[in-house]
Amino acid sequence: MLTTGPATCASSGPAIPRTEPTGYDVFGLHLPEVERVARWSRFAFERYFRVDASGHEHVPLVGPAILVSNHSGMLPVDATMLWLDVFRRTGRVVRTIADRFVPRLPFVSTLFSRVGVVSGSRPNVRWLLEHGELVAIFPEGTTGPGKSMAQHYHLQDWRVGHVEFAIRHRVPIIPIAIIGAEESWPLLARIPHVHLFGAPYLPLPVSLVPLPVRFHIHYGAPIRFDDPPASADDPEVLARAAAITRGAVERLIAHGLIARDQGRGQ
Amino acid sequence: MRVLVTGATAPSGEALIRALLADRAIEHVLAVGLDAQPVLLPASPRLTYRACDLTRPRAAHDLLFGQGLALGIDAIVHGALHRRASDHGARVHAQNVETTRELLTASARHPTVRRFVFVGTAEVYALRAAEPTLLDEDAALEFDPGAPQWIRDRVEADLTVCAQLTASALRPIVLRCAEVIAPGAGSQLWDYLQSRVCLRPLGFDPMINVLSREDQVRAIQRALASPHVGVCNIAGAETWPLSAIVARWGRVGLPVPGPMLAPLYRLRSWTVGFEFRYDRNARRFHFGGVVDGRRAEDALGYRPTTPIAWPVASHGARLA
C-alpha cells in the first residue's frame, strides 16, 4: 500500500510557484509580498520562536507534495513558522490550506492570499497539486487550535482529505511534527456559540500574544501510497491511509518531545 | 458553415461578425439585431442583416424557419442578453430567458441547425467565502432569490441551454465567459472604473480574472468549430487584484468599510446615473472568484492570449 523514499514525483513542477504574467497567481500569491513578509518575520523566526528543524531534506525541491502536520495555537503561528522554514531553506512557497471562514476575515484574507494561503476546497487543492505546488494541510482542522492544555500533542479529529488527494494525484505526503507551538499560545477556553466572521468558535487564549517558546520542526520521510487513483473514492482505503499518516505524525511528535526533553536536560 | 448571430449590433456581436467574415470557412453570416440600419457592420456579400425583435416568439420562429432555413443556417451564436443592470421586469426576462428558450427549442427541431453556442457569463457562479476561489464548471450556481434579476435571468438562461445538452440532435455549448471590460458589454467593472475614485471594501482585495474582447471572439469561433457539447468556462489572460485593476485603469482606489459601499454606490447611481450596482458585486469584491478555463483548453483548444488594453501600463506610467 505504501512506500517511503525520496520525495521526488512523477510530475515535476517549479521550485517557485507559477504566477501569471501579472505577477499574481489565480489565488493572489505575489512573490514580492512573500519576500517582504519573510523579511518582516525574521525576528519572530530567529529570535522570538528560535525555530530549528531536522529532516528538511525530505521536503522536495521540485514537484507536488503534501505537508501534513499537527496543529495548534489561537492563530496559526505553527503554520507561519512552517511556511517560513520551508521558504528559507528551499525557496519554495508552501501553499497552506486554510479553513473556509478565512476569506471572510478582513485584512487577514488579503495578506494570506498574497503569501500563498488558499481556501480549503477541492478545486483549489486540485489546481495546486496539478501545478506542482507544495501544499500544507492540517488534518486536525479547527479542532487542532481548539485543543485544551490537557490535549496538547494529542492529535484530534484526523480528516482524510489529504490522503485522498495524495492517492488521486499520486503525490507524496511529508509528515511533520511541530514541537513548541502547542505551548506557545494555549487556550483558556473557547466559546462555541460565538461565530465571529464565521469562525467555528471564539477562542480565549491565556495570553494576548504568543509566548516565546522555542519551535522545533521535524520533517519525516515521505510516504507514498501506491494505490491506484480510483481507490481514492474507497472510504476504507482512505481511513487506512489516514491512519498511516496519523501514526507517522504521532511518532514524530513523540520523537520530538523526547529530543526536546533531552536537550533541556543537557 | 453558415452562422446566425444574435445581438449583432452590440459591440461584441459586431466584433464577432467581423471575425467570422474574416474566416473563409464561414460561408455566410445572418446577423440579427434590433436596429433597423446597423451602421457599424461591414458590407459583405457573405453578410445578411435582419432586424428582428426576438422577444416575440413568432418573430424568432419565423426568422429561423424563414430566412434561416433559406440560407441553410447550421449554427447559432446567441448572446443577446439585456445589458443594463438597472433594468428589470418581464420584458428584460423575456429577452434574457424566453428568447433563449425559444431559439433553442426551435433549433432542436430545425432541419439544418446543428450547433447552438450560448454566450453566457461566469457571473452565474455563486461567490461565497466557503466556495472555491477557483471556479470550475461544476461550481455552485447563484440561486439566491435575493440576487438581482440580472444574475437570476442569466442563471435561468444558462440552465435552459444545459437542459437541452443531450435532448436532441442539436449540439449546444454554453460558454461561461469571464468579464469583458469594455463598453457595451454589460460590464459592471467597466462602469465601476468610469469614476475617478473607485471605492472598494476595506480589508479585502480579491482576485478578478478579465477577458479581452479578442479572446472572447476567438473562444466563440473555437466553439463553433468544435463538436464539444457541454459547458466551458472562458477565462481571460489576466488575473489581477481589484486594487491593481483600479490602478491600471488610472483611477484612485479608496478602501471604505463594506457596509457603506452599497448606499454610496446607490447614491452615485441616482445622482450621476451610472450602471454599477454594488449589491451585484459585493461578494465578488469580497471573495473574488476566478474561472478555471482548463476544460475550454482541452475541449476547444482555447487558451487566452490577448491582454487587456489597460490605459495605464503599470503604477504611475501612462501608456502613450
Side-chain angles (χ1 to χ4, degrees):
Chain A
M1 182 176 180
L2 85 158
T3 56
T4 56
T8 51
C9 300
S11 61
S12 63
I16 296 173
R18 290 176 199 199
T19 53
E20 294 198 339
T22 60
Y24 296 86
D25 82 350
V26 294
F27 299 107
L29 172 72
H30 195 217
L31 289 177
E33 208 77 26
V34 168
E35 281 157 11
R36 193 174 309 135
V37 171
R39 269 199 312 276
W40 287 350
S41 309
R42 200 170 159 184
F43 171 79
F45 186 87
E46 293 177 0
R47 302 289 174 84
Y48 196 80
F49 295 115
R50 294 153 290 155
V51 179
D52 66 26
S54 66
H56 40 79
E57 68 277 8
H58 294 309
V59 178
L61 295 176
V62 290
I66 300 174
L67 309 180
V68 167
S69 172
N70 57 321
H71 196 23
S72 61
M74 193 188 81
L75 291 179
V77 178
D78 50 357
T80 309
M81 293 304 127
L82 176 64
W83 179 90
L84 278 167
D85 190 58
V86 173
F87 182 69
R88 289 163 63 109
R89 291 177 194 279
T90 67
R92 297 196 73 176
V93 179
V94 172
R95 311 304 301 266
T96 308
I97 304 303
D99 201 276
R100 293 182 181 197
F101 71 87
V102 170
R104 297 176 68 170
L105 303 171
F107 303 105
V108 174
S109 59
T110 303
L111 174 67
F112 276 14
S113 70
R114 295 294 174 270
V115 299
V117 176
V118 175
S119 174
S121 69
R122 284 168 191 277
N124 291 354
V125 179
R126 195 174 63 217
W127 189 96
L128 292 170
L129 293 175
E130 287 175 1
H131 285 77
E133 301 277 10
L134 193 58
V135 173
I137 296 178
F138 295 92
E140 290 176 276
T142 52
T143 63
K147 284 173 198 171
S148 66
M149 285 188 242
Q151 293 169 325
H152 281 175
Y153 297 112
H154 295 285
L155 298 180
Q156 303 299 298
D157 293 351
W158 196 257
R159 301 173 189 178
V160 300
H162 63 293
V163 286
E164 183 187 337
F165 283 115
I167 292 171
R168 199 180 298 285
H169 296 277
R170 306 192 79 96
V171 297
I173 286 180
I174 319 293
I176 295 168
I178 301 177
I179 306 297
E182 311 228 357
E183 296 91 347
S184 76
W185 215 347
L187 215 58
L188 202 59
R190 58 182 190 177
I191 306 172
H193 302 300
V194 180
H195 305 288
L196 208 59
F197 295 108
Y201 53 82
L202 181 70
L204 291 179
V206 168
S207 57
L208 285 177
V209 292
L211 305 171
V213 178
R214 186 187 285 269
F215 273 50
H216 306 266
I217 301 176
H218 299 272
Y219 300 90
I223 301 169
R224 281 177 159 283
F225 295 100
D226 297 330
D227 305 80
S231 65
D233 289 318
D234 185 337
E236 284 184 20
V237 169
L238 296 186
R240 227 169 29 235
I244 290 168
T245 61
R246 182 186 179 116
V249 173
E250 282 175 336
R251 281 192 295 278
L252 282 169
I253 289 173
H255 164 79
L257 290 173
I258 291 168
R260 182 175 71 173
D261 292 345
Q262 285 173 343
R264 279 180 185 159
Q266 285 170 0
Chain B
M1 182 180 275
R2 292 160 176 267
V3 185
L4 185 154
V5 178
T6 67
T9 50
S12 51
E14 182 216 326
L16 174 63
I17 288 165
R18 287 182 187 278
L20 291 175
L21 291 175
D23 180 356
R24 300 311 298 179
I26 304 295
E27 296 166 51
H28 203 89
V29 176
L30 173 56
V32 181
L34 273 175
D35 298 356
Q37 294 292 328
V39 289
L40 293 172
L41 292 181
S44 167
R46 291 160 56 223
L47 174 67
T48 304
Y49 178 77
R50 167 85 181 268
C52 181
D53 180 3
L54 293 171
T55 58
R56 294 169 54 219
R58 176 54 58 190
H61 176 274
D62 290 352
L63 170 72
L64 273 187
F65 285 90
Q67 202 164 10
L69 192 56
L71 287 170
I73 293 297
D74 44 24
I76 293 176
V77 178
H78 176 51
L81 303 187
H82 196 80
R83 294 191 295 271
R84 286 172 60 91
S86 55
D87 292 348
H88 54 89
R91 184 157 177 79
V92 173
H93 182 78
Q95 182 179 346
N96 291 337
V97 181
E98 303 307 335
T99 298
T100 304
R101 182 177 291 121
E102 190 62 34
L103 281 174
L104 194 64
T105 50
S107 302
R109 56 177 192 275
H110 194 277
T112 61
V113 176
R114 289 292 172 266
R115 186 66 163 157
F116 190 93
V117 178
F118 177 67
V119 185
T121 171
E123 290 182 56
V124 296
Y125 291 117
L127 301 177
R128 308 270 191 282
E131 296 295 339
T133 318
L134 198 63
L135 303 163
D136 62 14
E137 288 80 357
D138 300 324
L141 299 182
E142 181 59 90
F143 285 112
D144 184 349
Q149 183 183 342
W150 197 95
I151 290 179
R152 282 184 284 117
D153 278 359
R154 276 158 176 76
V155 173
E156 191 176 346
D158 182 296
L159 292 180
T160 299
V161 184
C162 288
Q164 286 284 337
L165 287 182
T166 55
S168 67
L170 190 67
R171 291 180 288 108
I173 182 167
V174 177
L175 305 181
R176 292 179 181 157
C177 301
E179 184 157 347
V180 178
I181 307 185
S187 166
Q188 284 279 287
L189 272 180
W190 166 265
D191 195 67
Y192 171 73
L193 293 166
Q194 298 316 298
S195 295
R196 283 176 184 277
V197 177
C198 298
L199 310 180
R200 61 183 182 84
L202 182 69
F204 295 91
D205 196 9
M207 300 303 290
I208 294 177
N209 179 256
V210 282
L211 176 66
S212 64
R213 185 162 275 155
E214 293 83 352
D215 276 348
Q216 187 190 36
V217 165
R218 206 160 44 79
I220 296 169
Q221 288 180 288
R222 293 273 186 171
L224 278 170
S226 160
H228 182 75
V229 171
V231 181
C232 284
N233 287 337
I234 304 301
E238 295 180 59
T239 304
W240 291 99
L242 179 61
S243 62
I245 289 177
V246 171
R248 291 179 78 80
W249 212 264
R251 305 305 189 203
V252 177
L254 182 64
V256 169
M260 290 172 63
L261 283 166
L264 283 172
Y265 272 107
R266 207 173 298 130
L267 187 66
R268 173 190 183 240
S269 184
W270 285 338
T271 53
V272 191
F274 280 122
E275 275 292 303
F276 178 77
R277 288 181 56 180
Y278 190 74
D279 60 343
R280 232 196 75 191
N281 294 278
R283 285 176 179 146
R284 181 163 64 142
F285 278 21
H286 278 81
F287 310 126
V290 174
V291 289
D292 181 350
R294 279 178 295 177
R295 186 184 291 178
E297 194 174 334
D298 295 341
L300 310 180
Y302 162 78
R303 199 185 172 103
T305 53
T306 314
I308 302 290
W310 300 100
V312 175
S314 59
H315 296 258
R318 188 170 283 275
L319 286 175

